[in-house]
Amino acid sequence: MLNFFLSLGARTRTIFALLLCLGLLALAAILVPSHSGAKVQPVTKAKGVRPRFVPGEVLVRYRTESTAQSKTGKMLVATREGRQVSAQVERFDGSDLVQGLRLVRVAPSETLHAVAALRNQPDVLYAEPNYILRAAVVPNDEHFTANRLYGLGKIGAQQVWDNFTTGSSSVVVGVIDQGIDITHQDLQPNIWTNPGEVAGNGVDDDTNGFIDDIRGFNFV
């Protein structure tokens, strides 16, 4: 083997040596177990959007109030697959407004199956999930409606307002900038007031090193 190796040219010997080293490294990686303490992180599912309807609730309107009264209570609803879904038919506030209207409670996983089954009953006018309606939070700011506030669109503010939150008075936001107009009509009702400071007395009441810092401090 040594004679064969020496008989090769210098360039060929170099390439052969490199390939041999790579092969040994690959073999070591396979045979030698890793002592790393790292663990594979489980894949976490992202939080889904809020449900479109109340799971386990179906709104059903029967053709007559007398039919609705006879259906009130426990019942079995046959699905298209031939399964029997247990249901509880109840009166609710809407029953006083619309004749024949009832709330049907089923297992959450059976909601849509129950809707389809109830729609096929001849004495039912309509059946639908108990949809959740939400008001769209659109500001009356003319600059927002005219798409001049491009930053709010960039961060998806409308989607956050509609689906999650419009903010909270318990959250304090610090603004680090050249200044802030505390009399601005959009900001004035929400400007933070330092509870530990007495306005205009020329004393550092909260002993934080700044005198009369009622609405923050002008560091310039």
Side-chain angles (χ1 to χ4, degrees), residues 107-161:
S109 60
E110 299 284 7
T111 305
L112 296 181
H113 293 292
V115 169
L118 289 165
R119 285 176 177 173
N120 285 332
Q121 294 187 356
D123 51 3
V124 170
L125 283 174
Y126 58 80
E128 62 184 22
N130 189 3
Y131 288 108
I132 301 173
L133 302 182
R134 300 182 178 91
V137 185
V138 179
N140 59 1
D141 189 327
E142 62 180 15
H143 296 291
F144 181 84
T145 55
N147 293 323
R148 299 191 190 104
L149 302 179
Y150 71 94
L152 295 178
K154 289 286 187 181
I155 65 174
Q158 182 69 56
Q159 290 77 12
V160 175
W161 295 334

Side-chain angles (χ1 to χ4, degrees), residues 59-187:
L59 295 178
V60 180
R61 186 180 182 187
Y62 291 96
R63 294 187 179 277
T64 63
E65 178 60 27
S66 59
T67 301
Q69 291 178 0
S70 66
K71 297 288 186 179
T72 301
K74 292 184 178 180
M75 64 181 297
L76 292 175
V77 182
T79 66
R80 294 177 180 177
E81 298 80 14
R83 294 187 300 105
Q84 298 291 323
V85 175
S86 179
Q88 175 73 31
V89 183
E90 303 175 356
R91 285 185 59 87
F92 70 115
D93 293 342
S95 303
D96 297 329
L97 302 175
V98 180
Q99 289 190 351
L101 186 63
R102 292 295 187 272
L103 176 64
V104 179
R105 299 187 186 276
V106 296
S109 60
E110 299 284 7
T111 305
L112 296 181
H113 293 292
V115 169
L118 289 165
R119 285 176 177 173
N120 285 332
Q121 294 187 356
D123 51 3
V124 170
L125 283 174
Y126 58 80
E128 62 184 22
N130 189 3
Y131 288 108
I132 301 173
L133 302 182
R134 300 182 178 91
V137 185
V138 179
N140 59 1
D141 189 327
E142 62 180 15
H143 296 291
F144 181 84
T145 55
N147 293 323
R148 299 191 190 104
L149 302 179
Y150 71 94
L152 295 178
K154 289 286 187 181
I155 65 174
Q158 182 69 56
Q159 290 77 12
V160 175
W161 295 334
D162 287 340
N163 298 309
F164 296 99
T165 181
T166 55
S168 170
S169 60
S170 63
V171 176
V172 178
V173 178
V175 178
I176 303 175
D177 206 336
Q178 292 179 336
I180 183 171
D181 181 5
I182 64 174
T183 64
H184 190 283
Q185 61 181 357
D186 289 339
L187 303 178

